[in-house]
Amino acid sequence: MANSIHEMIRASFRCEDMVKCVLGLKSLDIDAYKALLTSGPLTAENLGEILNRERSTAYRSLQNLIACGVVYRETRSIESGGYYYEYVAIEPQEMKTMVKKNVDEWYDQMNDLIEKMDDKMNILIMRMDDEED
């Protein structure tokens, strides 16, 4: 994956790479999200089996997905007592909206910083002019 925007522009950048970059996810997180989409709600143990990973690894991935808002968990009751969690992926259209919102916010922040560059450059030039006098 590219390390800078400059590299991204020139590289063959896929949607999956963009989502990982914007949401701060890893490849395993994307695989977990896809598994939840195709299989429906899953426990961390079942997800681990699908991904051929330990339950604890699947759980860490689920925590990453929950933290960025593309997965949520639901509590399920056991008839004989107790409970367990199932994890559910948000719909792809919701994820798309979330990614777009993040990119739009980032774009606005970057534009604000670029505009401030003019002010900073003008201040620097004025200081240099003052030092020359």
Side-chain angles (χ1 to χ4, degrees):
M1 190 166 95
N3 293 321
S4 69
I5 292 173
H6 182 75
E7 290 177 18
M8 287 180 210
I9 292 168
R10 281 151 186 75
S12 172
F13 206 58
R14 303 171 310 162
C15 288
E16 188 173 302
D17 296 325
M18 185 266 312
V19 169
K20 288 182 342 190
C21 179
V22 171
L23 298 180
L25 298 173
K26 299 175 184 135
S27 293
L28 180 61
D29 302 333
I30 298 296
D31 292 343
Y33 175 77
K34 289 176 185 176
L36 289 168
L37 279 178
T38 57
S39 299
L42 295 168
T43 64
E45 185 173 350
N46 293 141
L47 180 61
E49 290 170 5
I50 290 170
L51 298 174
N52 293 318
R53 301 292 177 107
E54 296 291 326
R55 181 197 56 79
S56 60
T57 302
Y59 180 75
R60 277 192 303 277
S61 188
L62 288 165
Q63 292 305 309
N64 293 339
L65 293 166
I66 288 170
C68 72
V70 297
V71 166
Y72 60 95
R73 75 177 187 187
E74 295 182 337
T75 305
R76 303 285 186 225
S77 297
I78 301 171
E79 284 186 29
S80 59
Y83 64 92
Y84 63 96
Y85 296 117
E86 281 189 332
Y87 297 86
V88 183
I90 65 172
E91 291 299 318
Q93 191 62 37
E94 290 178 71
M95 179 194 261
K96 177 183 174 183
T97 300
M98 179 185 300
V99 168
K100 182 167 179 10
K101 181 180 177 213
N102 284 336
V103 169
D104 288 345
E105 287 176 10
W106 180 83
Y107 179 81
D108 291 342
Q109 288 177 359
M110 293 305 105
N111 272 332
D112 288 345
L113 289 173
I114 290 167
E115 291 303 317
K116 289 178 184 175
M117 283 176 66
D118 287 341
D119 296 338
K120 301 245 184 223
M121 291 303 290
N122 288 334
I123 291 169
L124 181 61
I125 290 168
M126 287 175 23
R127 282 186 189 158
M128 291 172 66
D129 287 345
D130 288 344
E131 289 175 4
E132 288 178 2
D133 290 340

